[in-house]
Amino acid sequence: HQVDPWRFAGSFLKRVLSGGIPEQPSYSDIPWAPVRKPLSESRVALLTTAGVSSISDTPFDMEMERQKPTRGDPSWRRLPHDATSTTIEANHLHIDTGYILRDLNVALPLDRLRELVEAGSIGKVAESHYSIMGYQGNVSSELVGKSAPEISQAMKNDQVDLVVLAPV
């Protein structure tokens, strides 16, 4: 299936915004992986695009974002399973990070994930969660060629069965 990034934006926003965004590469297929066990037995991780980092970690590079507004930091961060609004920073100029600092669930819905465990809907919350900076403009070769495979390998090492993308 071809992904239509403007599906829910409407024709006006598509016309106004698409002219300022560089052409994106086309992918013929999305590499979905089949679910291999019931949700109630699965370990689930979150992946946010909000540029969230632990306060003890290197923040995402917002100076790059200031200098090149259509280019975000293509690196990634590992977040602990017990992250809270007081243990993270939100490093992103294209979103109002104040919402994230008031309620981390806006970008990393850990409380909702824990509720699903309590209800028996999913098996476990993964030990780690992952963060990238969205709004990359042209999808960088570093994001696709380096960060994405590293995140995938980290998830495999952490025995993550399923990941929920939390786009912001």
Side-chain angles (χ1 to χ4, degrees):
H1 296 276
Q2 187 68 24
V3 176
D4 178 5
W6 303 105
R7 180 175 177 191
F8 300 106
S11 60
F12 175 75
L13 282 178
K14 178 179 180 179
R15 264 192 327 276
V16 170
L17 297 175
S18 64
I21 298 174
E23 189 65 32
Q24 298 296 308
S26 180
Y27 299 98
S28 59
D29 292 315
I30 298 173
W32 298 112
V35 177
R36 300 195 188 281
K37 60 168 85 169
L39 286 174
S40 61
E41 298 172 17
S42 296
R43 180 173 301 174
V44 180
L46 298 170
L47 172 63
T48 181
T49 63
V52 174
S53 62
S54 294
I55 54 176
S56 61
D57 201 352
T58 304
F60 284 90
D61 186 354
M62 290 195 301
E63 189 54 38
M64 175 195 304
E65 191 179 16
R66 280 184 190 89
Q67 293 176 11
K68 300 176 183 177
T70 61
R71 175 94 163 85
D73 181 340
S75 63
W76 64 282
R77 305 291 181 275
R78 183 186 299 265
L79 303 168
H81 69 94
D82 59 352
T84 66
S85 293
T86 61
T87 64
I88 61 96
E89 294 179 328
N91 321 111
H92 208 310
L93 298 176
H94 289 93
I95 58 175
D96 181 352
T97 58
Y99 290 108
I100 299 166
L101 299 177
R102 288 190 293 279
D103 182 2
L104 183 57
N105 289 289
V106 169
L108 196 71
L110 288 168
D111 290 338
R112 305 300 74 85
L113 206 57
R114 289 184 198 106
E115 289 168 2
L116 291 170
V117 170
E118 289 173 18
S121 299
I122 63 173
K124 295 180 183 178
V125 174
E127 287 297 311
S128 296
H129 304 283
Y130 308 89
S131 178
I132 61 172
M133 182 183 273
Y135 197 82
Q136 290 288 321
N138 272 339
V139 177
S140 75
S141 58
E142 186 177 342
L143 179 67
V144 173
K146 184 176 185 290
S147 294
E150 288 175 358
I151 294 169
S152 175
Q153 188 59 55
M155 288 181 185
K156 288 176 185 174
N157 293 346
D158 293 343
Q159 299 179 329
V160 171
D161 299 305
L162 299 169
V163 64
V164 176
L165 177 62
V168 177

